[in-house]
Amino acid sequence: MIVMEELKRDLLNPFPWYKVMRSSKPVFRDTDSGLWNVFRYYDVKRVLGNFNEFSSQFGKAFNPAGGPISESIINLDPPRHTKLRNIVSRAFTPRAVEKMEPVIRDICENLLSKHQGGRFDIVKEFTSPLPVTVIATMLGIPISDMDKFKKWSDNVVGGSQRDFAEFPSMMKEMVEYFRRMIAQRKSDPKDDLITAIINAEVDGENLTELESLGFFILLLVAGNETTTNLISNSLLCIDENHETFNELKSSPELIPQAIEEVLRFRSPVQSIYRVAKKDTLINGTMVPAGSIIVPWIGSANRDESIFSNADQFDIHRKENRHIAFGEGIHYCLGAPLARLESKVALEMLLKEYDSIKVDRSIPMIPQNSTIVYGLRELTVKVS
Ligand code: HEM
């Protein structure tokens, strides 16, 4: 597969290849895989955002038996998508997210307290456990089940630690666990996300059990590795731009805009899938109905016709119209949470340490994926 071959050359630096594709083949059909790849900003935005032309309902094409994830909002079109998103977004309000700030601080403090100085893998010790612990706390997973939950999360959704042999049995265990949690919350409601989701309704309708399961698993799939990568990618960008470290340390109010620039410059989600609902012209190229299309977010966010000095990491960028969280009706539901977690994480790291340096004597190993972008390990020296 041409696309895979090109990307696998350097998964951490696909950007020069995207640049070539934007200028020479902005809408490109990979003859081996049959996938259509779209690289320019406005084309990517259109494919992501126009649900009348491009469907998200391909879950069953990849997994004919269906299952929780193919019933979840990320794989649905309107009207079902609108209905389910309304139900879950009511339970996933910005207010609920803001309430999490002290919890996130506690989790960060606890994780960092083990490292007063020295060298450690910050993915394993900090950026990976943080989002899993946050989402488990929001869902209402008891502390006693936290280790089990982390193990499932790593094995079912964690690209770096995934153990394929154990995948089906772990998935089954996790689904059974959530089933029990749903039944418990029905008889004994709590102030947590599981209760909020199963009780939320629109037009007198709740989610079905399969839809609730799909949503809980989607939160893990969509939220953990992406947030881990956003924080690790931030550390990598800061390490490459030494003045940024000092600037953010002395002016932490710049952290949110630095995070937006990381989202653009090293987008944690590089690509998404859609299916063409009808024959459609994209940038002058006819894409036939039924084609699977890959809009490359990572390329759109480096499009030089939109971002000046697109290959430059610049936390002072004036207008940053990145589409790292998608576009339109599927715009990331967890964006406020991801932004809050990464803001708190960077604030605490910069407060805790006078210096954080990536240990470049250890080879950086990227996630083995063309969809999520990040590092499996990132050894840092802190003092
Ligand atoms: C840096 C972190 C994150 C990035 C870059 C990211 C990126 C994205 C993108 C690009 C989409 C659009 C998918 C599409 O158009 O098909 C999406 C959707 C979604 N994300 Fe995130 N995400 C992040 C964190 C999170 C978190 C923390 C959560 C929840 C805990 C979350 C939950 C979701 C959900 C539920 C959807 C589906 C929304 C829908 O289909 O209506 N994400 N995310």
Side-chain angles (χ1 to χ4, degrees), residues 48 56 73-74 81 85 92 135 215 218-219 222-223 226-227 230 263 268-269 272 274 297 324-326 329-335 337-338:
L48 287 177
S56 290
I73 53 172
I74 206 159
H81 171 270
R85 177 143 175 154
F92 214 78
I135 200 67
F215 187 66
L218 175 64
L219 288 182
T226 46
T227 309
L230 175 56
L263 281 161
V269 174
I272 299 274
R274 290 288 188 269
I297 291 178
F325 287 120
I329 60 165
H330 290 280
Y331 183 84
C332 178
L333 197 66
L337 180 61

PDB file of all heavy atoms in Angstrom, residues 48 56 73-74 81 85 92 135 215 218-219 222-223 226-227 230 263 268-269 272 274 297 324-326 329-335 337-338, ligand 1:
ATOM      1  N   LEU A  48     -14.830  15.990   6.415  1.00  0.00           N
ATOM      2  CA  LEU A  48     -15.170  15.738   7.824  1.00  0.00           C
ATOM      3  C   LEU A  48     -16.543  16.307   8.172  1.00  0.00           C
ATOM      4  O   LEU A  48     -17.300  15.695   8.926  1.00  0.00           O
ATOM      5  CB  LEU A  48     -14.140  16.409   8.752  1.00  0.00           C
ATOM      6  CG  LEU A  48     -12.753  15.791   8.851  1.00  0.00           C
ATOM      7  CD1 LEU A  48     -11.871  16.645   9.752  1.00  0.00           C
ATOM      8  CD2 LEU A  48     -12.826  14.373   9.403  1.00  0.00           C
ATOM      9  N   SER A  56     -20.269   8.661   8.235  1.00  0.00           N
ATOM     10  CA  SER A  56     -19.387   8.081   9.264  1.00  0.00           C
ATOM     11  C   SER A  56     -19.789   6.641   9.556  1.00  0.00           C
ATOM     12  O   SER A  56     -19.203   5.986  10.401  1.00  0.00           O
ATOM     13  CB  SER A  56     -19.511   8.879  10.563  1.00  0.00           C
ATOM     14  OG  SER A  56     -18.932  10.139  10.413  1.00  0.00           O
ATOM     15  N   ILE A  73     -21.693   7.039  18.780  1.00  0.00           N
ATOM     16  CA  ILE A  73     -21.947   8.233  17.965  1.00  0.00           C
ATOM     17  C   ILE A  73     -20.897   8.464  16.880  1.00  0.00           C
ATOM     18  O   ILE A  73     -21.228   8.983  15.823  1.00  0.00           O
ATOM     19  CB  ILE A  73     -22.094   9.521  18.821  1.00  0.00           C
ATOM     20  CG1 ILE A  73     -20.915   9.719  19.763  1.00  0.00           C
ATOM     21  CG2 ILE A  73     -23.397   9.538  19.526  1.00  0.00           C
ATOM     22  CD1 ILE A  73     -20.962  11.076  20.469  1.00  0.00           C
ATOM     23  N   ILE A  74     -19.671   8.080  17.111  1.00  0.00           N
ATOM     24  CA  ILE A  74     -18.619   8.393  16.148  1.00  0.00           C
ATOM     25  C   ILE A  74     -18.848   7.653  14.832  1.00  0.00           C
ATOM     26  O   ILE A  74     -18.365   8.064  13.778  1.00  0.00           O
ATOM     27  CB  ILE A  74     -17.217   8.095  16.755  1.00  0.00           C
ATOM     28  CG1 ILE A  74     -16.150   8.968  16.083  1.00  0.00           C
ATOM     29  CG2 ILE A  74     -16.862   6.629  16.700  1.00  0.00           C
ATOM     30  CD1 ILE A  74     -14.878   9.154  16.889  1.00  0.00           C
ATOM     31  N   HIS A  81     -27.424  10.001  14.976  1.00  0.00           N
ATOM     32  CA  HIS A  81     -26.275  10.660  15.610  1.00  0.00           C
ATOM     33  C   HIS A  81     -26.737  11.860  16.425  1.00  0.00           C
ATOM     34  O   HIS A  81     -26.326  12.039  17.576  1.00  0.00           O
ATOM     35  CB  HIS A  81     -25.232  11.103  14.570  1.00  0.00           C
ATOM     36  CG  HIS A  81     -24.147  11.958  15.159  1.00  0.00           C
ATOM     37  ND1 HIS A  81     -24.221  13.331  15.230  1.00  0.00           N
ATOM     38  CD2 HIS A  81     -22.979  11.626  15.777  1.00  0.00           C
ATOM     39  CE1 HIS A  81     -23.146  13.800  15.839  1.00  0.00           C
ATOM     40  NE2 HIS A  81     -22.380  12.791  16.175  1.00  0.00           N
ATOM     41  N   ARG A  85     -26.120  12.081  20.339  1.00  0.00           N
ATOM     42  CA  ARG A  85     -25.162  13.107  20.785  1.00  0.00           C
ATOM     43  C   ARG A  85     -25.857  14.059  21.760  1.00  0.00           C
ATOM     44  O   ARG A  85     -25.259  14.467  22.752  1.00  0.00           O
ATOM     45  CB  ARG A  85     -24.580  13.854  19.582  1.00  0.00           C
ATOM     46  CG  ARG A  85     -23.635  14.964  20.030  1.00  0.00           C
ATOM     47  CD  ARG A  85     -22.434  15.151  19.153  1.00  0.00           C
ATOM     48  NE  ARG A  85     -21.705  16.307  19.632  1.00  0.00           N
ATOM     49  CZ  ARG A  85     -20.418  16.523  19.476  1.00  0.00           C
ATOM     50  NH1 ARG A  85     -19.674  15.647  18.852  1.00  0.00           N
ATOM     51  NH2 ARG A  85     -19.845  17.607  19.937  1.00  0.00           N
ATOM     52  N   PHE A  92     -22.296  15.364  29.462  1.00  0.00           N
ATOM     53  CA  PHE A  92     -20.867  15.626  29.300  1.00  0.00           C
ATOM     54  C   PHE A  92     -20.640  17.118  29.140  1.00  0.00           C
ATOM     55  O   PHE A  92     -19.967  17.570  28.214  1.00  0.00           O
ATOM     56  CB  PHE A  92     -20.378  14.878  28.048  1.00  0.00           C
ATOM     57  CG  PHE A  92     -18.985  14.375  28.153  1.00  0.00           C
ATOM     58  CD1 PHE A  92     -18.712  13.228  28.883  1.00  0.00           C
ATOM     59  CD2 PHE A  92     -17.925  15.026  27.545  1.00  0.00           C
ATOM     60  CE1 PHE A  92     -17.425  12.753  28.999  1.00  0.00           C
ATOM     61  CE2 PHE A  92     -16.642  14.565  27.646  1.00  0.00           C
ATOM     62  CZ  PHE A  92     -16.395  13.431  28.379  1.00  0.00           C
ATOM     63  N   ILE A 135     -10.720   9.682  33.365  1.00  0.00           N
ATOM     64  CA  ILE A 135     -11.992   9.195  32.809  1.00  0.00           C
ATOM     65  C   ILE A 135     -12.607   8.130  33.722  1.00  0.00           C
ATOM     66  O   ILE A 135     -13.827   8.074  33.902  1.00  0.00           O
ATOM     67  CB  ILE A 135     -11.854   8.711  31.339  1.00  0.00           C
ATOM     68  CG1 ILE A 135     -13.206   8.680  30.629  1.00  0.00           C
ATOM     69  CG2 ILE A 135     -11.199   7.373  31.200  1.00  0.00           C
ATOM     70  CD1 ILE A 135     -13.838   9.997  30.391  1.00  0.00           C
ATOM     71  N   PHE A 215     -20.833   3.887  24.172  1.00  0.00           N
ATOM     72  CA  PHE A 215     -20.367   5.218  24.559  1.00  0.00           C
ATOM     73  C   PHE A 215     -19.236   5.135  25.582  1.00  0.00           C
ATOM     74  O   PHE A 215     -18.229   5.838  25.463  1.00  0.00           O
ATOM     75  CB  PHE A 215     -21.528   6.061  25.088  1.00  0.00           C
ATOM     76  CG  PHE A 215     -21.105   7.476  25.335  1.00  0.00           C
ATOM     77  CD1 PHE A 215     -20.728   8.296  24.283  1.00  0.00           C
ATOM     78  CD2 PHE A 215     -21.034   7.980  26.625  1.00  0.00           C
ATOM     79  CE1 PHE A 215     -20.290   9.596  24.506  1.00  0.00           C
ATOM     80  CE2 PHE A 215     -20.603   9.279  26.854  1.00  0.00           C
ATOM     81  CZ  PHE A 215     -20.230  10.089  25.796  1.00  0.00           C
ATOM     82  N   LEU A 218     -16.213   4.024  23.798  1.00  0.00           N
ATOM     83  CA  LEU A 218     -15.746   5.109  22.920  1.00  0.00           C
ATOM     84  C   LEU A 218     -14.970   6.163  23.713  1.00  0.00           C
ATOM     85  O   LEU A 218     -13.962   6.684  23.249  1.00  0.00           O
ATOM     86  CB  LEU A 218     -16.949   5.764  22.212  1.00  0.00           C
ATOM     87  CG  LEU A 218     -16.624   6.980  21.348  1.00  0.00           C
ATOM     88  CD1 LEU A 218     -15.713   6.601  20.178  1.00  0.00           C
ATOM     89  CD2 LEU A 218     -17.889   7.637  20.820  1.00  0.00           C
ATOM     90  N   LEU A 219     -15.435   6.459  24.928  1.00  0.00           N
ATOM     91  CA  LEU A 219     -14.717   7.453  25.736  1.00  0.00           C
ATOM     92  C   LEU A 219     -13.265   7.022  25.956  1.00  0.00           C
ATOM     93  O   LEU A 219     -12.352   7.841  25.913  1.00  0.00           O
ATOM     94  CB  LEU A 219     -15.391   7.637  27.098  1.00  0.00           C
ATOM     95  CG  LEU A 219     -16.720   8.379  27.096  1.00  0.00           C
ATOM     96  CD1 LEU A 219     -17.236   8.523  28.514  1.00  0.00           C
ATOM     97  CD2 LEU A 219     -16.604   9.741  26.440  1.00  0.00           C
ATOM     98  N   ALA A 222     -11.508   6.993  22.306  1.00  0.00           N
ATOM     99  CA  ALA A 222     -11.298   8.315  21.698  1.00  0.00           C
ATOM    100  C   ALA A 222     -10.512   9.252  22.601  1.00  0.00           C
ATOM    101  O   ALA A 222      -9.892  10.194  22.123  1.00  0.00           O
ATOM    102  CB  ALA A 222     -12.656   8.946  21.361  1.00  0.00           C
ATOM    103  N   GLY A 223     -10.547   8.981  23.918  1.00  0.00           N
ATOM    104  CA  GLY A 223     -10.041   9.997  24.832  1.00  0.00           C
ATOM    105  C   GLY A 223      -8.681   9.746  25.462  1.00  0.00           C
ATOM    106  O   GLY A 223      -7.999  10.694  25.816  1.00  0.00           O
ATOM    107  N   THR A 226      -5.275   9.701  22.757  1.00  0.00           N
ATOM    108  CA  THR A 226      -5.185  11.030  22.135  1.00  0.00           C
ATOM    109  C   THR A 226      -4.664  12.062  23.137  1.00  0.00           C
ATOM    110  O   THR A 226      -3.783  12.860  22.810  1.00  0.00           O
ATOM    111  CB  THR A 226      -6.575  11.469  21.637  1.00  0.00           C
ATOM    112  OG1 THR A 226      -7.528  11.203  22.661  1.00  0.00           O
ATOM    113  CG2 THR A 226      -6.976  10.760  20.359  1.00  0.00           C
ATOM    114  N   THR A 227      -5.193  12.026  24.360  1.00  0.00           N
ATOM    115  CA  THR A 227      -4.772  13.016  25.358  1.00  0.00           C
ATOM    116  C   THR A 227      -3.339  12.739  25.808  1.00  0.00           C
ATOM    117  O   THR A 227      -2.530  13.665  25.979  1.00  0.00           O
ATOM    118  CB  THR A 227      -5.754  13.022  26.556  1.00  0.00           C
ATOM    119  OG1 THR A 227      -7.077  13.148  26.041  1.00  0.00           O
ATOM    120  CG2 THR A 227      -5.471  14.160  27.511  1.00  0.00           C
ATOM    121  N   LEU A 230      -1.237  14.145  23.165  1.00  0.00           N
ATOM    122  CA  LEU A 230      -1.197  15.616  23.160  1.00  0.00           C
ATOM    123  C   LEU A 230      -0.174  16.120  24.188  1.00  0.00           C
ATOM    124  O   LEU A 230       0.624  17.015  23.901  1.00  0.00           O
ATOM    125  CB  LEU A 230      -2.597  16.193  23.450  1.00  0.00           C
ATOM    126  CG  LEU A 230      -2.676  17.708  23.595  1.00  0.00           C
ATOM    127  CD1 LEU A 230      -2.132  18.425  22.359  1.00  0.00           C
ATOM    128  CD2 LEU A 230      -4.117  18.165  23.850  1.00  0.00           C
ATOM    129  N   LEU A 263      -1.549  21.063  19.017  1.00  0.00           N
ATOM    130  CA  LEU A 263      -2.649  20.363  18.330  1.00  0.00           C
ATOM    131  C   LEU A 263      -2.530  20.527  16.816  1.00  0.00           C
ATOM    132  O   LEU A 263      -2.808  19.623  16.048  1.00  0.00           O
ATOM    133  CB  LEU A 263      -4.004  20.916  18.798  1.00  0.00           C
ATOM    134  CG  LEU A 263      -4.484  20.404  20.156  1.00  0.00           C
ATOM    135  CD1 LEU A 263      -5.549  21.319  20.757  1.00  0.00           C
ATOM    136  CD2 LEU A 263      -5.034  18.985  20.030  1.00  0.00           C
ATOM    137  N   PRO A 268      -2.664  14.943  17.392  1.00  0.00           N
ATOM    138  CA  PRO A 268      -2.718  13.580  17.941  1.00  0.00           C
ATOM    139  C   PRO A 268      -3.543  12.625  17.068  1.00  0.00           C
ATOM    140  O   PRO A 268      -3.302  11.430  17.060  1.00  0.00           O
ATOM    141  CB  PRO A 268      -3.392  13.770  19.307  1.00  0.00           C
ATOM    142  CG  PRO A 268      -3.148  15.203  19.664  1.00  0.00           C
ATOM    143  CD  PRO A 268      -3.137  15.952  18.364  1.00  0.00           C
ATOM    144  N   VAL A 269      -4.540  13.169  16.354  1.00  0.00           N
ATOM    145  CA  VAL A 269      -5.266  12.345  15.388  1.00  0.00           C
ATOM    146  C   VAL A 269      -4.875  12.861  14.000  1.00  0.00           C
ATOM    147  O   VAL A 269      -5.165  13.996  13.656  1.00  0.00           O
ATOM    148  CB  VAL A 269      -6.801  12.434  15.586  1.00  0.00           C
ATOM    149  CG1 VAL A 269      -7.538  11.688  14.473  1.00  0.00           C
ATOM    150  CG2 VAL A 269      -7.201  11.889  16.951  1.00  0.00           C
ATOM    151  N   ILE A 272      -8.815  10.259   9.676  1.00  0.00           N
ATOM    152  CA  ILE A 272     -10.139   9.733  10.057  1.00  0.00           C
ATOM    153  C   ILE A 272     -10.671   9.037   8.803  1.00  0.00           C
ATOM    154  O   ILE A 272     -10.100   9.194   7.733  1.00  0.00           O
ATOM    155  CB  ILE A 272     -11.060  10.937  10.427  1.00  0.00           C
ATOM    156  CG1 ILE A 272     -10.527  11.737  11.610  1.00  0.00           C
ATOM    157  CG2 ILE A 272     -12.493  10.557  10.644  1.00  0.00           C
ATOM    158  CD1 ILE A 272     -10.936  11.223  12.964  1.00  0.00           C
ATOM    159  N   ARG A 274     -14.154   8.259   6.240  1.00  0.00           N
ATOM    160  CA  ARG A 274     -15.528   8.541   5.844  1.00  0.00           C
ATOM    161  C   ARG A 274     -15.851   7.673   4.629  1.00  0.00           C
ATOM    162  O   ARG A 274     -14.941   7.175   3.964  1.00  0.00           O
ATOM    163  CB  ARG A 274     -15.709  10.014   5.431  1.00  0.00           C
ATOM    164  CG  ARG A 274     -15.626  11.043   6.559  1.00  0.00           C
ATOM    165  CD  ARG A 274     -16.856  11.000   7.470  1.00  0.00           C
ATOM    166  NE  ARG A 274     -16.857  12.112   8.420  1.00  0.00           N
ATOM    167  CZ  ARG A 274     -16.317  12.092   9.643  1.00  0.00           C
ATOM    168  NH1 ARG A 274     -15.716  10.991  10.083  1.00  0.00           N
ATOM    169  NH2 ARG A 274     -16.395  13.136  10.429  1.00  0.00           N
ATOM    170  N   ILE A 297      -6.085  15.008   8.616  1.00  0.00           N
ATOM    171  CA  ILE A 297      -6.095  16.178   9.508  1.00  0.00           C
ATOM    172  C   ILE A 297      -4.673  16.708   9.689  1.00  0.00           C
ATOM    173  O   ILE A 297      -4.433  17.918   9.676  1.00  0.00           O
ATOM    174  CB  ILE A 297      -6.701  15.775  10.879  1.00  0.00           C
ATOM    175  CG1 ILE A 297      -8.200  15.490  10.728  1.00  0.00           C
ATOM    176  CG2 ILE A 297      -6.438  16.835  11.941  1.00  0.00           C
ATOM    177  CD1 ILE A 297      -8.890  15.027  12.002  1.00  0.00           C
ATOM    178  N   ALA A 324      -7.747  19.943  14.569  1.00  0.00           N
ATOM    179  CA  ALA A 324      -7.283  18.731  15.268  1.00  0.00           C
ATOM    180  C   ALA A 324      -8.416  17.998  15.983  1.00  0.00           C
ATOM    181  O   ALA A 324      -8.319  16.788  16.231  1.00  0.00           O
ATOM    182  CB  ALA A 324      -6.190  19.100  16.273  1.00  0.00           C
ATOM    183  N   PHE A 325      -9.490  18.714  16.341  1.00  0.00           N
ATOM    184  CA  PHE A 325     -10.626  18.065  17.002  1.00  0.00           C
ATOM    185  C   PHE A 325     -11.751  17.769  16.013  1.00  0.00           C
ATOM    186  O   PHE A 325     -12.881  17.487  16.420  1.00  0.00           O
ATOM    187  CB  PHE A 325     -11.162  18.935  18.141  1.00  0.00           C
ATOM    188  CG  PHE A 325     -10.265  18.969  19.361  1.00  0.00           C
ATOM    189  CD1 PHE A 325      -9.737  20.165  19.824  1.00  0.00           C
ATOM    190  CD2 PHE A 325      -9.974  17.810  20.068  1.00  0.00           C
ATOM    191  CE1 PHE A 325      -8.930  20.211  20.963  1.00  0.00           C
ATOM    192  CE2 PHE A 325      -9.169  17.840  21.211  1.00  0.00           C
ATOM    193  CZ  PHE A 325      -8.646  19.040  21.654  1.00  0.00           C
ATOM    194  N   GLY A 326     -11.462  17.856  14.716  1.00  0.00           N
ATOM    195  CA  GLY A 326     -12.473  17.551  13.712  1.00  0.00           C
ATOM    196  C   GLY A 326     -13.276  18.774  13.339  1.00  0.00           C
ATOM    197  O   GLY A 326     -12.884  19.924  13.623  1.00  0.00           O
ATOM    198  N   ILE A 329     -20.577  18.137  12.885  1.00  0.00           N
ATOM    199  CA  ILE A 329     -21.392  17.453  13.902  1.00  0.00           C
ATOM    200  C   ILE A 329     -20.607  16.450  14.746  1.00  0.00           C
ATOM    201  O   ILE A 329     -21.021  16.117  15.842  1.00  0.00           O
ATOM    202  CB  ILE A 329     -22.617  16.744  13.277  1.00  0.00           C
ATOM    203  CG1 ILE A 329     -22.166  15.694  12.249  1.00  0.00           C
ATOM    204  CG2 ILE A 329     -23.570  17.741  12.650  1.00  0.00           C
ATOM    205  CD1 ILE A 329     -23.284  14.721  11.877  1.00  0.00           C
ATOM    206  N   HIS A 330     -19.488  15.939  14.224  1.00  0.00           N
ATOM    207  CA  HIS A 330     -18.704  14.965  15.002  1.00  0.00           C
ATOM    208  C   HIS A 330     -17.569  15.630  15.780  1.00  0.00           C
ATOM    209  O   HIS A 330     -16.709  14.930  16.329  1.00  0.00           O
ATOM    210  CB  HIS A 330     -18.130  13.868  14.098  1.00  0.00           C
ATOM    211  CG  HIS A 330     -19.177  12.947  13.553  1.00  0.00           C
ATOM    212  ND1 HIS A 330     -19.708  11.915  14.279  1.00  0.00           N
ATOM    213  CD2 HIS A 330     -19.814  12.929  12.365  1.00  0.00           C
ATOM    214  CE1 HIS A 330     -20.622  11.283  13.554  1.00  0.00           C
ATOM    215  NE2 HIS A 330     -20.703  11.886  12.383  1.00  0.00           N
ATOM    216  N   TYR A 331     -17.559  16.972  15.796  1.00  0.00           N
ATOM    217  CA  TYR A 331     -16.488  17.688  16.513  1.00  0.00           C
ATOM    218  C   TYR A 331     -16.302  17.034  17.890  1.00  0.00           C
ATOM    219  O   TYR A 331     -17.277  16.748  18.602  1.00  0.00           O
ATOM    220  CB  TYR A 331     -16.854  19.175  16.675  1.00  0.00           C
ATOM    221  CG  TYR A 331     -15.759  19.969  17.337  1.00  0.00           C
ATOM    222  CD1 TYR A 331     -14.693  20.470  16.596  1.00  0.00           C
ATOM    223  CD2 TYR A 331     -15.767  20.204  18.718  1.00  0.00           C
ATOM    224  CE1 TYR A 331     -13.666  21.193  17.205  1.00  0.00           C
ATOM    225  CE2 TYR A 331     -14.753  20.917  19.338  1.00  0.00           C
ATOM    226  CZ  TYR A 331     -13.709  21.406  18.569  1.00  0.00           C
ATOM    227  OH  TYR A 331     -12.695  22.101  19.176  1.00  0.00           O
ATOM    228  N   CYS A 332     -15.053  16.846  18.266  1.00  0.00           N
ATOM    229  CA  CYS A 332     -14.723  16.077  19.470  1.00  0.00           C
ATOM    230  C   CYS A 332     -15.520  16.515  20.706  1.00  0.00           C
ATOM    231  O   CYS A 332     -15.428  17.655  21.152  1.00  0.00           O
ATOM    232  CB  CYS A 332     -13.227  16.227  19.757  1.00  0.00           C
ATOM    233  SG  CYS A 332     -12.730  15.356  21.239  1.00  0.00           S
ATOM    234  N   LEU A 333     -16.247  15.563  21.252  1.00  0.00           N
ATOM    235  CA  LEU A 333     -17.034  15.827  22.456  1.00  0.00           C
ATOM    236  C   LEU A 333     -16.121  16.043  23.665  1.00  0.00           C
ATOM    237  O   LEU A 333     -16.486  16.721  24.620  1.00  0.00           O
ATOM    238  CB  LEU A 333     -17.922  14.596  22.698  1.00  0.00           C
ATOM    239  CG  LEU A 333     -19.096  14.730  23.623  1.00  0.00           C
ATOM    240  CD1 LEU A 333     -20.141  15.673  23.054  1.00  0.00           C
ATOM    241  CD2 LEU A 333     -19.729  13.357  23.856  1.00  0.00           C
ATOM    242  N   GLY A 334     -14.926  15.456  23.613  1.00  0.00           N
ATOM    243  CA  GLY A 334     -14.014  15.529  24.756  1.00  0.00           C
ATOM    244  C   GLY A 334     -13.013  16.674  24.662  1.00  0.00           C
ATOM    245  O   GLY A 334     -12.104  16.758  25.503  1.00  0.00           O
ATOM    246  N   ALA A 335     -13.181  17.577  23.670  1.00  0.00           N
ATOM    247  CA  ALA A 335     -12.179  18.640  23.485  1.00  0.00           C
ATOM    248  C   ALA A 335     -11.973  19.474  24.762  1.00  0.00           C
ATOM    249  O   ALA A 335     -10.820  19.723  25.152  1.00  0.00           O
ATOM    250  CB  ALA A 335     -12.546  19.521  22.292  1.00  0.00           C
ATOM    251  N   LEU A 337     -12.299  18.604  27.826  1.00  0.00           N
ATOM    252  CA  LEU A 337     -11.590  17.793  28.821  1.00  0.00           C
ATOM    253  C   LEU A 337     -10.116  17.619  28.419  1.00  0.00           C
ATOM    254  O   LEU A 337      -9.214  17.760  29.258  1.00  0.00           O
ATOM    255  CB  LEU A 337     -12.273  16.427  28.957  1.00  0.00           C
ATOM    256  CG  LEU A 337     -11.649  15.478  29.963  1.00  0.00           C
ATOM    257  CD1 LEU A 337     -11.691  16.070  31.377  1.00  0.00           C
ATOM    258  CD2 LEU A 337     -12.334  14.116  29.959  1.00  0.00           C
ATOM    259  N   ALA A 338      -9.872  17.350  27.127  1.00  0.00           N
ATOM    260  CA  ALA A 338      -8.492  17.173  26.663  1.00  0.00           C
ATOM    261  C   ALA A 338      -7.698  18.463  26.881  1.00  0.00           C
ATOM    262  O   ALA A 338      -6.536  18.429  27.308  1.00  0.00           O
ATOM    263  CB  ALA A 338      -8.488  16.785  25.185  1.00  0.00           C
TER     264      ALA A 338
HETATM  265  C1  HEM B   1      -6.129  15.623  22.297  1.00  0.00           C
HETATM  266  C2  HEM B   1      -7.099  14.825  22.505  1.00  0.00           C
HETATM  267  C3  HEM B   1      -8.154  14.503  21.485  1.00  0.00           C
HETATM  268  C4  HEM B   1      -8.150  14.658  20.125  1.00  0.00           C
HETATM  269  C5  HEM B   1      -7.046  15.200  19.231  1.00  0.00           C
HETATM  270  C6  HEM B   1      -9.442  14.182  19.652  1.00  0.00           C
HETATM  271  C7  HEM B   1      -9.831  14.192  18.318  1.00  0.00           C
HETATM  272  C8  HEM B   1     -11.100  13.884  17.876  1.00  0.00           C
HETATM  273  C9  HEM B   1     -11.532  13.997  16.512  1.00  0.00           C
HETATM  274  C10 HEM B   1     -10.668  14.448  15.341  1.00  0.00           C
HETATM  275  C11 HEM B   1     -12.852  13.627  16.465  1.00  0.00           C
HETATM  276  C12 HEM B   1     -13.755  13.641  15.234  1.00  0.00           C
HETATM  277  C13 HEM B   1     -14.002  12.257  14.692  1.00  0.00           C
HETATM  278  C14 HEM B   1     -14.797  12.270  13.386  1.00  0.00           C
HETATM  279  O1  HEM B   1     -15.028  13.313  12.794  1.00  0.00           O
HETATM  280  O2  HEM B   1     -15.151  11.163  12.941  1.00  0.00           O
HETATM  281  C15 HEM B   1     -13.242  13.256  17.811  1.00  0.00           C
HETATM  282  C16 HEM B   1     -14.490  12.808  18.182  1.00  0.00           C
HETATM  283  C17 HEM B   1     -14.808  12.404  19.450  1.00  0.00           C
HETATM  284  N1  HEM B   1     -14.022  12.498  20.579  1.00  0.00           N
HETATM  285 FE1  HEM B   1     -12.147  13.227  20.672  1.00  0.00          FE
HETATM  286  N2  HEM B   1     -10.184  13.771  20.724  1.00  0.00           N
HETATM  287  C18 HEM B   1      -9.444  13.965  21.866  1.00  0.00           C
HETATM  288  C19 HEM B   1      -9.828  13.709  23.161  1.00  0.00           C
HETATM  289  C20 HEM B   1     -11.054  13.206  23.531  1.00  0.00           C
HETATM  290  C21 HEM B   1     -11.460  12.957  24.888  1.00  0.00           C
HETATM  291  C22 HEM B   1     -10.633  13.270  26.137  1.00  0.00           C
HETATM  292  C23 HEM B   1     -12.710  12.413  24.816  1.00  0.00           C
HETATM  293  C24 HEM B   1     -13.609  11.959  25.924  1.00  0.00           C
HETATM  294  C25 HEM B   1     -13.238  11.574  27.096  1.00  0.00           C
HETATM  295  C26 HEM B   1     -13.095  12.361  23.427  1.00  0.00           C
HETATM  296  C27 HEM B   1     -14.306  11.907  22.960  1.00  0.00           C
HETATM  297  C28 HEM B   1     -14.728  11.983  21.651  1.00  0.00           C
HETATM  298  C29 HEM B   1     -16.029  11.538  21.200  1.00  0.00           C
HETATM  299  C30 HEM B   1     -17.123  10.907  22.059  1.00  0.00           C
HETATM  300  C31 HEM B   1     -16.083  11.787  19.816  1.00  0.00           C
HETATM  301  C32 HEM B   1     -17.227  11.490  18.863  1.00  0.00           C
HETATM  302  C33 HEM B   1     -18.115  12.695  18.668  1.00  0.00           C
HETATM  303  C34 HEM B   1     -19.204  12.472  17.630  1.00  0.00           C
HETATM  304  O3  HEM B   1     -19.093  11.557  16.812  1.00  0.00           O
HETATM  305  O4  HEM B   1     -20.188  13.238  17.663  1.00  0.00           O
HETATM  306  N3  HEM B   1     -12.066  12.841  22.677  1.00  0.00           N
HETATM  307  N4  HEM B   1     -12.151  13.448  18.661  1.00  0.00           N
END
